[in-house]
Amino acid sequence: MNIAIDGPAGAGKSTIAKAAAKRLGYIYVDTGAMYRAIALYIIENEIDVENEDEVAEACSAIDIQIKYEDIQQVYLNGRNVSAEIRKEAVGNMASRAAAKKPVRDRLLSLQRSIAAENDVVMDGRDIGTFVLPEAEQKYYLTASVKTRAERRYRELVEKGETPDMAQIEADIEKRDYQDMHRDIAPLKQAEDAVYIDSSDMTIDEVVEKICGVSSAEEKK
Ligand code: DC
C-alpha cells in the first residue's frame, strides 16, 4: 500500500505524513531529506550546482542510505546527516539541486524500491505524478504562503532563533517558484490526487482525512 503526499514547502507534509504513517503502521518516507543530503554534499564540496557535469560527478560519488530507527535517518557516505540537513541553506540548495536531471535520476530508484518493499506514506513534490503514479492514495497538501510562513516562523522561534518574517515569506515564494517551474518532475497536483488546503485545519483534521479515522475515535 502506497500513499503519496505532495505539496509545497511548509505545507505540513512531513508532520501529517509522519502521523498518518504511525497511525496506519506504515513507514514514513521523507524524499525531501534525500535531496537535502545531496545538497549538503554539494555545499560541503563547493560544487557548482549550475554545472550539470560537476553535479553528475558528485552524484556518482554519493552513497545515500535510508535507515528506519523509529524515524527515518539519512546517511550520506556513511555519516548520519539527519540533523544537519534541516538547515535553511540546505533546503534552499536542495530546491536548486532538485531541478538537475542527475540528481533526480540518482534518487528515483531508491524511492521506488523502498515503496515496492514496504507499505509507505511518502511525501515530496513529484510522488503522485512521477515516482509512484500507481499509488493507491494521493494527496496534494497545501496552505497559503502566509500560513506556511507563520508556521515556519514559530518553528524557528521554538528553536531559539530570531527569524525575519519577510525573509521567510520571500524564501517560501522563491522555493515554490523553483519547485513548480523546473523542467523535470515539477511540483503539481496529480489529476487523481485529493486537494487539501490545510490553512484553516488542525493537524488532526488533516490526518483524519487521510487515514479516515480520528484520533478521538481511536481512543474510544
Ligand atoms: O520537502 P523539503 O523542503 O525537505 O524538500 C527540499 C527540496 O527538495 C524541495 O524544495 C524540492 C526538492 N524535492 C523535490 O524536488 N522532489 C521531492 N520529491 C522532494 C523534494
Side-chain angles (χ1 to χ4, degrees), residues 6-10 13 30-36 85-86 90-96 98-99 104 111 123-127 131 175-176 178-179 182 184-185:
D6 291 302
K13 296 185 302 296
D30 171 2
T31 61
M34 301 174 188
Y35 288 94
R36 284 169 182 265
I85 58 170
R86 305 303 358 151
V90 179
N92 291 334
M93 178 58 86
S95 176
R96 294 175 68 192
R104 301 210 77 81
Q111 293 165 359
D123 78 358
R125 303 293 189 285
D126 61 338
I127 310 305
V131 179
R175 194 106 86 80
D176 283 0
Q178 280 174 180
D179 294 348
R182 64 180 178 226
I184 324 164

PDB file of all heavy atoms in Angstrom, residues 6-10 13 30-36 85-86 90-96 98-99 104 111 123-127 131 175-176 178-179 182 184-185, ligand 1:
ATOM      1  N   ASP A   6       2.048  15.096  -1.843  1.00  0.00           N
ATOM      2  CA  ASP A   6       2.878  16.135  -2.442  1.00  0.00           C
ATOM      3  C   ASP A   6       2.359  17.500  -2.030  1.00  0.00           C
ATOM      4  O   ASP A   6       1.209  17.649  -1.619  1.00  0.00           O
ATOM      5  CB  ASP A   6       2.824  16.018  -3.976  1.00  0.00           C
ATOM      6  CG  ASP A   6       3.526  14.772  -4.462  1.00  0.00           C
ATOM      7  OD1 ASP A   6       4.731  14.619  -4.155  1.00  0.00           O
ATOM      8  OD2 ASP A   6       2.879  13.934  -5.123  1.00  0.00           O
ATOM      9  N   GLY A   7       3.235  18.486  -2.179  1.00  0.00           N
ATOM     10  CA  GLY A   7       2.816  19.846  -1.864  1.00  0.00           C
ATOM     11  C   GLY A   7       4.026  20.735  -1.695  1.00  0.00           C
ATOM     12  O   GLY A   7       5.168  20.261  -1.673  1.00  0.00           O
ATOM     13  N   PRO A   8       3.796  22.034  -1.587  1.00  0.00           N
ATOM     14  CA  PRO A   8       4.911  22.977  -1.477  1.00  0.00           C
ATOM     15  C   PRO A   8       5.577  22.958  -0.100  1.00  0.00           C
ATOM     16  O   PRO A   8       5.051  22.355   0.841  1.00  0.00           O
ATOM     17  CB  PRO A   8       4.232  24.328  -1.733  1.00  0.00           C
ATOM     18  CG  PRO A   8       2.829  24.134  -1.277  1.00  0.00           C
ATOM     19  CD  PRO A   8       2.484  22.712  -1.583  1.00  0.00           C
ATOM     20  N   ALA A   9       6.716  23.643  -0.014  1.00  0.00           N
ATOM     21  CA  ALA A   9       7.474  23.723   1.243  1.00  0.00           C
ATOM     22  C   ALA A   9       6.607  24.327   2.346  1.00  0.00           C
ATOM     23  O   ALA A   9       5.900  25.309   2.109  1.00  0.00           O
ATOM     24  CB  ALA A   9       8.713  24.597   1.035  1.00  0.00           C
ATOM     25  N   GLY A  10       6.654  23.717   3.509  1.00  0.00           N
ATOM     26  CA  GLY A  10       5.980  24.290   4.671  1.00  0.00           C
ATOM     27  C   GLY A  10       4.486  24.025   4.745  1.00  0.00           C
ATOM     28  O   GLY A  10       3.797  24.600   5.589  1.00  0.00           O
ATOM     29  N   LYS A  13       3.534  18.746   5.215  1.00  0.00           N
ATOM     30  CA  LYS A  13       3.557  17.377   4.693  1.00  0.00           C
ATOM     31  C   LYS A  13       4.218  16.395   5.650  1.00  0.00           C
ATOM     32  O   LYS A  13       3.696  15.327   5.902  1.00  0.00           O
ATOM     33  CB  LYS A  13       4.297  17.302   3.351  1.00  0.00           C
ATOM     34  CG  LYS A  13       3.654  18.069   2.239  1.00  0.00           C
ATOM     35  CD  LYS A  13       4.388  17.847   0.928  1.00  0.00           C
ATOM     36  CE  LYS A  13       5.853  18.225   0.946  1.00  0.00           C
ATOM     37  NZ  LYS A  13       6.110  19.657   1.159  1.00  0.00           N
ATOM     38  N   ASP A  30      10.508  10.358   3.776  1.00  0.00           N
ATOM     39  CA  ASP A  30      10.678  11.790   3.538  1.00  0.00           C
ATOM     40  C   ASP A  30      11.662  11.945   2.372  1.00  0.00           C
ATOM     41  O   ASP A  30      12.877  11.857   2.560  1.00  0.00           O
ATOM     42  CB  ASP A  30      11.237  12.385   4.845  1.00  0.00           C
ATOM     43  CG  ASP A  30      11.686  13.822   4.710  1.00  0.00           C
ATOM     44  OD1 ASP A  30      11.536  14.397   3.616  1.00  0.00           O
ATOM     45  OD2 ASP A  30      12.196  14.361   5.705  1.00  0.00           O
ATOM     46  N   THR A  31      11.133  12.138   1.155  1.00  0.00           N
ATOM     47  CA  THR A  31      12.045  12.206  -0.002  1.00  0.00           C
ATOM     48  C   THR A  31      12.814  13.531  -0.041  1.00  0.00           C
ATOM     49  O   THR A  31      13.909  13.588  -0.573  1.00  0.00           O
ATOM     50  CB  THR A  31      11.289  12.030  -1.342  1.00  0.00           C
ATOM     51  OG1 THR A  31      10.330  13.081  -1.492  1.00  0.00           O
ATOM     52  CG2 THR A  31      10.606  10.683  -1.405  1.00  0.00           C
ATOM     53  N   GLY A  32      12.253  14.581   0.561  1.00  0.00           N
ATOM     54  CA  GLY A  32      12.964  15.855   0.614  1.00  0.00           C
ATOM     55  C   GLY A  32      14.311  15.688   1.313  1.00  0.00           C
ATOM     56  O   GLY A  32      15.304  16.311   0.932  1.00  0.00           O
ATOM     57  N   ALA A  33      14.343  14.800   2.319  1.00  0.00           N
ATOM     58  CA  ALA A  33      15.586  14.575   3.073  1.00  0.00           C
ATOM     59  C   ALA A  33      16.674  14.011   2.165  1.00  0.00           C
ATOM     60  O   ALA A  33      17.865  14.292   2.350  1.00  0.00           O
ATOM     61  CB  ALA A  33      15.323  13.627   4.243  1.00  0.00           C
ATOM     62  N   MET A  34      16.269  13.240   1.160  1.00  0.00           N
ATOM     63  CA  MET A  34      17.266  12.661   0.237  1.00  0.00           C
ATOM     64  C   MET A  34      17.868  13.779  -0.632  1.00  0.00           C
ATOM     65  O   MET A  34      19.071  13.811  -0.874  1.00  0.00           O
ATOM     66  CB  MET A  34      16.600  11.612  -0.652  1.00  0.00           C
ATOM     67  CG  MET A  34      15.951  10.473   0.132  1.00  0.00           C
ATOM     68  SD  MET A  34      15.031   9.389  -0.997  1.00  0.00           S
ATOM     69  CE  MET A  34      14.199   8.320   0.197  1.00  0.00           C
ATOM     70  N   TYR A  35      17.003  14.679  -1.115  1.00  0.00           N
ATOM     71  CA  TYR A  35      17.507  15.833  -1.891  1.00  0.00           C
ATOM     72  C   TYR A  35      18.380  16.720  -1.011  1.00  0.00           C
ATOM     73  O   TYR A  35      19.391  17.267  -1.459  1.00  0.00           O
ATOM     74  CB  TYR A  35      16.338  16.642  -2.480  1.00  0.00           C
ATOM     75  CG  TYR A  35      15.674  15.898  -3.609  1.00  0.00           C
ATOM     76  CD1 TYR A  35      14.569  15.093  -3.374  1.00  0.00           C
ATOM     77  CD2 TYR A  35      16.185  15.960  -4.902  1.00  0.00           C
ATOM     78  CE1 TYR A  35      13.978  14.373  -4.406  1.00  0.00           C
ATOM     79  CE2 TYR A  35      15.604  15.251  -5.930  1.00  0.00           C
ATOM     80  CZ  TYR A  35      14.499  14.461  -5.679  1.00  0.00           C
ATOM     81  OH  TYR A  35      13.928  13.747  -6.696  1.00  0.00           O
ATOM     82  N   ARG A  36      17.993  16.840   0.239  1.00  0.00           N
ATOM     83  CA  ARG A  36      18.783  17.647   1.168  1.00  0.00           C
ATOM     84  C   ARG A  36      20.170  17.031   1.396  1.00  0.00           C
ATOM     85  O   ARG A  36      21.163  17.749   1.551  1.00  0.00           O
ATOM     86  CB  ARG A  36      18.040  17.792   2.499  1.00  0.00           C
ATOM     87  CG  ARG A  36      16.893  18.783   2.441  1.00  0.00           C
ATOM     88  CD  ARG A  36      16.011  18.717   3.671  1.00  0.00           C
ATOM     89  NE  ARG A  36      14.902  19.636   3.587  1.00  0.00           N
ATOM     90  CZ  ARG A  36      14.878  20.868   4.107  1.00  0.00           C
ATOM     91  NH1 ARG A  36      15.910  21.307   4.810  1.00  0.00           N
ATOM     92  NH2 ARG A  36      13.832  21.648   3.961  1.00  0.00           N
ATOM     93  N   ILE A  85      20.878  18.340   7.744  1.00  0.00           N
ATOM     94  CA  ILE A  85      20.136  18.652   6.508  1.00  0.00           C
ATOM     95  C   ILE A  85      18.902  19.510   6.746  1.00  0.00           C
ATOM     96  O   ILE A  85      18.273  19.955   5.804  1.00  0.00           O
ATOM     97  CB  ILE A  85      19.732  17.373   5.731  1.00  0.00           C
ATOM     98  CG1 ILE A  85      18.874  16.448   6.613  1.00  0.00           C
ATOM     99  CG2 ILE A  85      20.956  16.670   5.176  1.00  0.00           C
ATOM    100  CD1 ILE A  85      18.255  15.293   5.836  1.00  0.00           C
ATOM    101  N   ARG A  86      18.553  19.761   7.996  1.00  0.00           N
ATOM    102  CA  ARG A  86      17.360  20.571   8.276  1.00  0.00           C
ATOM    103  C   ARG A  86      17.640  22.065   8.160  1.00  0.00           C
ATOM    104  O   ARG A  86      16.725  22.873   8.188  1.00  0.00           O
ATOM    105  CB  ARG A  86      16.788  20.293   9.679  1.00  0.00           C
ATOM    106  CG  ARG A  86      16.434  18.900  10.056  1.00  0.00           C
ATOM    107  CD  ARG A  86      15.453  18.059   9.282  1.00  0.00           C
ATOM    108  NE  ARG A  86      14.724  18.526   8.135  1.00  0.00           N
ATOM    109  CZ  ARG A  86      14.315  17.738   7.137  1.00  0.00           C
ATOM    110  NH1 ARG A  86      14.598  16.452   7.128  1.00  0.00           N
ATOM    111  NH2 ARG A  86      13.641  18.218   6.133  1.00  0.00           N
ATOM    112  N   VAL A  90      20.501  24.445   3.470  1.00  0.00           N
ATOM    113  CA  VAL A  90      20.494  23.126   2.817  1.00  0.00           C
ATOM    114  C   VAL A  90      19.170  22.941   2.049  1.00  0.00           C
ATOM    115  O   VAL A  90      19.154  22.451   0.923  1.00  0.00           O
ATOM    116  CB  VAL A  90      20.708  21.992   3.853  1.00  0.00           C
ATOM    117  CG1 VAL A  90      20.672  20.632   3.175  1.00  0.00           C
ATOM    118  CG2 VAL A  90      22.019  22.188   4.599  1.00  0.00           C
ATOM    119  N   GLY A  91      18.065  23.394   2.640  1.00  0.00           N
ATOM    120  CA  GLY A  91      16.766  23.312   1.961  1.00  0.00           C
ATOM    121  C   GLY A  91      16.754  24.122   0.674  1.00  0.00           C
ATOM    122  O   GLY A  91      16.253  23.671  -0.358  1.00  0.00           O
ATOM    123  N   ASN A  92      17.332  25.313   0.746  1.00  0.00           N
ATOM    124  CA  ASN A  92      17.365  26.169  -0.444  1.00  0.00           C
ATOM    125  C   ASN A  92      18.238  25.551  -1.540  1.00  0.00           C
ATOM    126  O   ASN A  92      17.880  25.567  -2.719  1.00  0.00           O
ATOM    127  CB  ASN A  92      17.841  27.580  -0.082  1.00  0.00           C
ATOM    128  CG  ASN A  92      16.797  28.311   0.763  1.00  0.00           C
ATOM    129  OD1 ASN A  92      15.599  28.010   0.682  1.00  0.00           O
ATOM    130  ND2 ASN A  92      17.223  29.245   1.594  1.00  0.00           N
ATOM    131  N   MET A  93      19.373  24.967  -1.129  1.00  0.00           N
ATOM    132  CA  MET A  93      20.236  24.303  -2.119  1.00  0.00           C
ATOM    133  C   MET A  93      19.541  23.052  -2.673  1.00  0.00           C
ATOM    134  O   MET A  93      19.653  22.745  -3.869  1.00  0.00           O
ATOM    135  CB  MET A  93      21.585  23.931  -1.486  1.00  0.00           C
ATOM    136  CG  MET A  93      22.530  23.191  -2.417  1.00  0.00           C
ATOM    137  SD  MET A  93      22.911  24.128  -3.927  1.00  0.00           S
ATOM    138  CE  MET A  93      24.293  25.120  -3.357  1.00  0.00           C
ATOM    139  N   ALA A  94      18.782  22.356  -1.830  1.00  0.00           N
ATOM    140  CA  ALA A  94      18.072  21.149  -2.284  1.00  0.00           C
ATOM    141  C   ALA A  94      17.097  21.505  -3.402  1.00  0.00           C
ATOM    142  O   ALA A  94      16.954  20.773  -4.381  1.00  0.00           O
ATOM    143  CB  ALA A  94      17.333  20.497  -1.119  1.00  0.00           C
ATOM    144  N   SER A  95      16.434  22.641  -3.260  1.00  0.00           N
ATOM    145  CA  SER A  95      15.474  23.064  -4.273  1.00  0.00           C
ATOM    146  C   SER A  95      16.184  23.323  -5.608  1.00  0.00           C
ATOM    147  O   SER A  95      15.664  22.982  -6.671  1.00  0.00           O
ATOM    148  CB  SER A  95      14.746  24.319  -3.779  1.00  0.00           C
ATOM    149  OG  SER A  95      13.889  24.809  -4.767  1.00  0.00           O
ATOM    150  N   ARG A  96      17.372  23.885  -5.548  1.00  0.00           N
ATOM    151  CA  ARG A  96      18.130  24.151  -6.789  1.00  0.00           C
ATOM    152  C   ARG A  96      18.656  22.839  -7.378  1.00  0.00           C
ATOM    153  O   ARG A  96      18.542  22.584  -8.577  1.00  0.00           O
ATOM    154  CB  ARG A  96      19.310  25.094  -6.502  1.00  0.00           C
ATOM    155  CG  ARG A  96      18.846  26.483  -6.081  1.00  0.00           C
ATOM    156  CD  ARG A  96      20.018  27.354  -5.693  1.00  0.00           C
ATOM    157  NE  ARG A  96      20.862  27.685  -6.841  1.00  0.00           N
ATOM    158  CZ  ARG A  96      22.067  28.244  -6.747  1.00  0.00           C
ATOM    159  NH1 ARG A  96      22.565  28.536  -5.565  1.00  0.00           N
ATOM    160  NH2 ARG A  96      22.768  28.519  -7.819  1.00  0.00           N
ATOM    161  N   ALA A  98      17.511  19.907  -6.990  1.00  0.00           N
ATOM    162  CA  ALA A  98      16.422  19.012  -7.400  1.00  0.00           C
ATOM    163  C   ALA A  98      15.950  19.278  -8.824  1.00  0.00           C
ATOM    164  O   ALA A  98      15.229  18.471  -9.399  1.00  0.00           O
ATOM    165  CB  ALA A  98      15.251  19.155  -6.429  1.00  0.00           C
ATOM    166  N   ALA A  99      16.362  20.410  -9.389  1.00  0.00           N
ATOM    167  CA  ALA A  99      15.980  20.710 -10.773  1.00  0.00           C
ATOM    168  C   ALA A  99      16.914  20.018 -11.761  1.00  0.00           C
ATOM    169  O   ALA A  99      16.662  20.026 -12.963  1.00  0.00           O
ATOM    170  CB  ALA A  99      16.009  22.214 -10.998  1.00  0.00           C
ATOM    171  N   ARG A 104      17.860  13.927  -9.820  1.00  0.00           N
ATOM    172  CA  ARG A 104      16.554  13.233  -9.799  1.00  0.00           C
ATOM    173  C   ARG A 104      16.731  11.759 -10.174  1.00  0.00           C
ATOM    174  O   ARG A 104      16.145  10.881  -9.564  1.00  0.00           O
ATOM    175  CB  ARG A 104      15.552  13.917 -10.731  1.00  0.00           C
ATOM    176  CG  ARG A 104      15.288  15.367 -10.392  1.00  0.00           C
ATOM    177  CD  ARG A 104      13.896  15.810 -10.774  1.00  0.00           C
ATOM    178  NE  ARG A 104      12.902  15.338  -9.825  1.00  0.00           N
ATOM    179  CZ  ARG A 104      12.635  15.919  -8.669  1.00  0.00           C
ATOM    180  NH1 ARG A 104      13.255  17.005  -8.301  1.00  0.00           N
ATOM    181  NH2 ARG A 104      11.738  15.406  -7.867  1.00  0.00           N
ATOM    182  N   GLN A 111      13.808   5.645  -4.158  1.00  0.00           N
ATOM    183  CA  GLN A 111      12.449   5.923  -3.670  1.00  0.00           C
ATOM    184  C   GLN A 111      11.486   4.816  -4.108  1.00  0.00           C
ATOM    185  O   GLN A 111      10.688   4.314  -3.317  1.00  0.00           O
ATOM    186  CB  GLN A 111      11.977   7.282  -4.207  1.00  0.00           C
ATOM    187  CG  GLN A 111      12.781   8.427  -3.615  1.00  0.00           C
ATOM    188  CD  GLN A 111      12.620   9.742  -4.364  1.00  0.00           C
ATOM    189  OE1 GLN A 111      11.921   9.834  -5.360  1.00  0.00           O
ATOM    190  NE2 GLN A 111      13.291  10.770  -3.883  1.00  0.00           N
ATOM    191  N   ASP A 123       6.302  11.424   1.156  1.00  0.00           N
ATOM    192  CA  ASP A 123       5.992  12.812   0.804  1.00  0.00           C
ATOM    193  C   ASP A 123       7.098  13.445  -0.027  1.00  0.00           C
ATOM    194  O   ASP A 123       8.239  12.987  -0.014  1.00  0.00           O
ATOM    195  CB  ASP A 123       5.631  13.645   2.042  1.00  0.00           C
ATOM    196  CG  ASP A 123       6.831  14.084   2.861  1.00  0.00           C
ATOM    197  OD1 ASP A 123       7.963  13.733   2.521  1.00  0.00           O
ATOM    198  OD2 ASP A 123       6.629  14.803   3.861  1.00  0.00           O
ATOM    199  N   GLY A 124       6.715  14.443  -0.823  1.00  0.00           N
ATOM    200  CA  GLY A 124       7.681  15.116  -1.685  1.00  0.00           C
ATOM    201  C   GLY A 124       6.999  16.108  -2.588  1.00  0.00           C
ATOM    202  O   GLY A 124       6.059  16.808  -2.168  1.00  0.00           O
ATOM    203  N   ARG A 125       7.486  16.180  -3.843  1.00  0.00           N
ATOM    204  CA  ARG A 125       6.924  17.123  -4.808  1.00  0.00           C
ATOM    205  C   ARG A 125       6.333  16.406  -6.015  1.00  0.00           C
ATOM    206  O   ARG A 125       5.433  16.927  -6.670  1.00  0.00           O
ATOM    207  CB  ARG A 125       8.025  18.085  -5.309  1.00  0.00           C
ATOM    208  CG  ARG A 125       8.738  18.879  -4.221  1.00  0.00           C
ATOM    209  CD  ARG A 125       7.803  19.873  -3.563  1.00  0.00           C
ATOM    210  NE  ARG A 125       8.507  20.787  -2.667  1.00  0.00           N
ATOM    211  CZ  ARG A 125       8.971  20.464  -1.469  1.00  0.00           C
ATOM    212  NH1 ARG A 125       8.823  19.238  -0.980  1.00  0.00           N
ATOM    213  NH2 ARG A 125       9.587  21.382  -0.722  1.00  0.00           N
ATOM    214  N   ASP A 126       6.895  15.223  -6.313  1.00  0.00           N
ATOM    215  CA  ASP A 126       6.521  14.519  -7.557  1.00  0.00           C
ATOM    216  C   ASP A 126       6.144  13.074  -7.283  1.00  0.00           C
ATOM    217  O   ASP A 126       6.282  12.224  -8.154  1.00  0.00           O
ATOM    218  CB  ASP A 126       7.722  14.543  -8.513  1.00  0.00           C
ATOM    219  CG  ASP A 126       8.943  13.836  -7.909  1.00  0.00           C
ATOM    220  OD1 ASP A 126       9.017  13.702  -6.668  1.00  0.00           O
ATOM    221  OD2 ASP A 126       9.817  13.400  -8.684  1.00  0.00           O
ATOM    222  N   ILE A 127       5.705  12.779  -6.083  1.00  0.00           N
ATOM    223  CA  ILE A 127       5.462  11.372  -5.736  1.00  0.00           C
ATOM    224  C   ILE A 127       4.221  10.839  -6.471  1.00  0.00           C
ATOM    225  O   ILE A 127       4.269   9.803  -7.126  1.00  0.00           O
ATOM    226  CB  ILE A 127       5.321  11.173  -4.197  1.00  0.00           C
ATOM    227  CG1 ILE A 127       6.496  11.849  -3.460  1.00  0.00           C
ATOM    228  CG2 ILE A 127       5.229   9.692  -3.856  1.00  0.00           C
ATOM    229  CD1 ILE A 127       7.874  11.427  -3.907  1.00  0.00           C
ATOM    230  N   VAL A 131       6.953   9.554  -9.237  1.00  0.00           N
ATOM    231  CA  VAL A 131       7.659   8.455  -8.558  1.00  0.00           C
ATOM    232  C   VAL A 131       6.729   7.251  -8.385  1.00  0.00           C
ATOM    233  O   VAL A 131       7.095   6.119  -8.718  1.00  0.00           O
ATOM    234  CB  VAL A 131       8.228   8.910  -7.187  1.00  0.00           C
ATOM    235  CG1 VAL A 131       8.944   7.765  -6.478  1.00  0.00           C
ATOM    236  CG2 VAL A 131       9.175  10.087  -7.375  1.00  0.00           C
ATOM    237  N   ARG A 175      11.089  29.339  -3.334  1.00  0.00           N
ATOM    238  CA  ARG A 175      11.146  27.875  -3.386  1.00  0.00           C
ATOM    239  C   ARG A 175       9.936  27.315  -4.150  1.00  0.00           C
ATOM    240  O   ARG A 175      10.078  26.402  -4.966  1.00  0.00           O
ATOM    241  CB  ARG A 175      11.179  27.330  -1.953  1.00  0.00           C
ATOM    242  CG  ARG A 175      11.568  25.903  -1.855  1.00  0.00           C
ATOM    243  CD  ARG A 175      12.966  25.733  -1.324  1.00  0.00           C
ATOM    244  NE  ARG A 175      13.008  25.715   0.122  1.00  0.00           N
ATOM    245  CZ  ARG A 175      12.704  24.638   0.838  1.00  0.00           C
ATOM    246  NH1 ARG A 175      12.315  23.529   0.269  1.00  0.00           N
ATOM    247  NH2 ARG A 175      12.808  24.682   2.147  1.00  0.00           N
ATOM    248  N   ASP A 176       8.757  27.881  -3.924  1.00  0.00           N
ATOM    249  CA  ASP A 176       7.556  27.448  -4.667  1.00  0.00           C
ATOM    250  C   ASP A 176       7.805  27.612  -6.164  1.00  0.00           C
ATOM    251  O   ASP A 176       7.516  26.723  -6.954  1.00  0.00           O
ATOM    252  CB  ASP A 176       6.336  28.325  -4.314  1.00  0.00           C
ATOM    253  CG  ASP A 176       5.723  27.978  -2.972  1.00  0.00           C
ATOM    254  OD1 ASP A 176       6.226  27.060  -2.299  1.00  0.00           O
ATOM    255  OD2 ASP A 176       4.728  28.638  -2.595  1.00  0.00           O
ATOM    256  N   GLN A 178      10.656  27.832  -7.858  1.00  0.00           N
ATOM    257  CA  GLN A 178      11.654  26.888  -8.377  1.00  0.00           C
ATOM    258  C   GLN A 178      11.073  25.489  -8.504  1.00  0.00           C
ATOM    259  O   GLN A 178      11.264  24.811  -9.508  1.00  0.00           O
ATOM    260  CB  GLN A 178      12.857  26.820  -7.417  1.00  0.00           C
ATOM    261  CG  GLN A 178      13.810  27.968  -7.578  1.00  0.00           C
ATOM    262  CD  GLN A 178      14.939  27.993  -6.538  1.00  0.00           C
ATOM    263  OE1 GLN A 178      15.752  28.878  -6.592  1.00  0.00           O
ATOM    264  NE2 GLN A 178      14.974  27.064  -5.599  1.00  0.00           N
ATOM    265  N   ASP A 179      10.347  25.049  -7.474  1.00  0.00           N
ATOM    266  CA  ASP A 179       9.849  23.666  -7.472  1.00  0.00           C
ATOM    267  C   ASP A 179       8.728  23.459  -8.497  1.00  0.00           C
ATOM    268  O   ASP A 179       8.556  22.367  -9.027  1.00  0.00           O
ATOM    269  CB  ASP A 179       9.352  23.279  -6.065  1.00  0.00           C
ATOM    270  CG  ASP A 179      10.483  23.220  -5.040  1.00  0.00           C
ATOM    271  OD1 ASP A 179      11.666  23.250  -5.458  1.00  0.00           O
ATOM    272  OD2 ASP A 179      10.210  23.151  -3.825  1.00  0.00           O
ATOM    273  N   ARG A 182      10.390  24.008 -12.677  1.00  0.00           N
ATOM    274  CA  ARG A 182      11.529  23.314 -13.291  1.00  0.00           C
ATOM    275  C   ARG A 182      11.016  22.401 -14.405  1.00  0.00           C
ATOM    276  O   ARG A 182       9.830  22.046 -14.438  1.00  0.00           O
ATOM    277  CB  ARG A 182      12.292  22.521 -12.222  1.00  0.00           C
ATOM    278  CG  ARG A 182      11.468  21.429 -11.611  1.00  0.00           C
ATOM    279  CD  ARG A 182      12.239  20.655 -10.555  1.00  0.00           C
ATOM    280  NE  ARG A 182      11.389  19.653  -9.979  1.00  0.00           N
ATOM    281  CZ  ARG A 182      11.277  19.419  -8.679  1.00  0.00           C
ATOM    282  NH1 ARG A 182      11.971  20.114  -7.809  1.00  0.00           N
ATOM    283  NH2 ARG A 182      10.478  18.468  -8.253  1.00  0.00           N
ATOM    284  N   ILE A 184      11.986  19.188 -15.131  1.00  0.00           N
ATOM    285  CA  ILE A 184      11.769  17.770 -14.802  1.00  0.00           C
ATOM    286  C   ILE A 184      10.937  17.640 -13.539  1.00  0.00           C
ATOM    287  O   ILE A 184      11.259  18.234 -12.512  1.00  0.00           O
ATOM    288  CB  ILE A 184      13.106  17.022 -14.536  1.00  0.00           C
ATOM    289  CG1 ILE A 184      14.206  17.540 -15.463  1.00  0.00           C
ATOM    290  CG2 ILE A 184      12.929  15.532 -14.658  1.00  0.00           C
ATOM    291  CD1 ILE A 184      15.581  17.151 -15.018  1.00  0.00           C
ATOM    292  N   ALA A 185       9.901  16.815 -13.613  1.00  0.00           N
ATOM    293  CA  ALA A 185       9.054  16.479 -12.471  1.00  0.00           C
ATOM    294  C   ALA A 185       8.740  17.685 -11.578  1.00  0.00           C
ATOM    295  O   ALA A 185       9.015  17.672 -10.379  1.00  0.00           O
ATOM    296  CB  ALA A 185       9.709  15.356 -11.650  1.00  0.00           C
TER     297      ALA A 185
HETATM  298  O1   DC B   1      10.388  18.891   1.439  1.00  0.00           O
HETATM  299  P1   DC B   1      11.732  19.563   1.620  1.00  0.00           P
HETATM  300  O2   DC B   1      11.644  21.026   1.926  1.00  0.00           O
HETATM  301  O3   DC B   1      12.607  18.836   2.600  1.00  0.00           O
HETATM  302  O4   DC B   1      12.457  19.415   0.194  1.00  0.00           O
HETATM  303  C1   DC B   1      13.630  20.113  -0.129  1.00  0.00           C
HETATM  304  C2   DC B   1      13.694  20.359  -1.622  1.00  0.00           C
HETATM  305  O5   DC B   1      13.860  19.115  -2.312  1.00  0.00           O
HETATM  306  C3   DC B   1      12.445  20.975  -2.240  1.00  0.00           C
HETATM  307  O6   DC B   1      12.488  22.384  -2.258  1.00  0.00           O
HETATM  308  C4   DC B   1      12.406  20.406  -3.634  1.00  0.00           C
HETATM  309  C5   DC B   1      13.157  19.114  -3.539  1.00  0.00           C
HETATM  310  N1   DC B   1      12.289  17.932  -3.614  1.00  0.00           N
HETATM  311  C6   DC B   1      11.915  17.510  -4.868  1.00  0.00           C
HETATM  312  O7   DC B   1      12.244  18.143  -5.863  1.00  0.00           O
HETATM  313  N2   DC B   1      11.193  16.360  -5.014  1.00  0.00           N
HETATM  314  C7   DC B   1      10.792  15.672  -3.939  1.00  0.00           C
HETATM  315  N3   DC B   1      10.084  14.544  -4.109  1.00  0.00           N
HETATM  316  C8   DC B   1      11.133  16.120  -2.639  1.00  0.00           C
HETATM  317  C9   DC B   1      11.880  17.274  -2.510  1.00  0.00           C
END
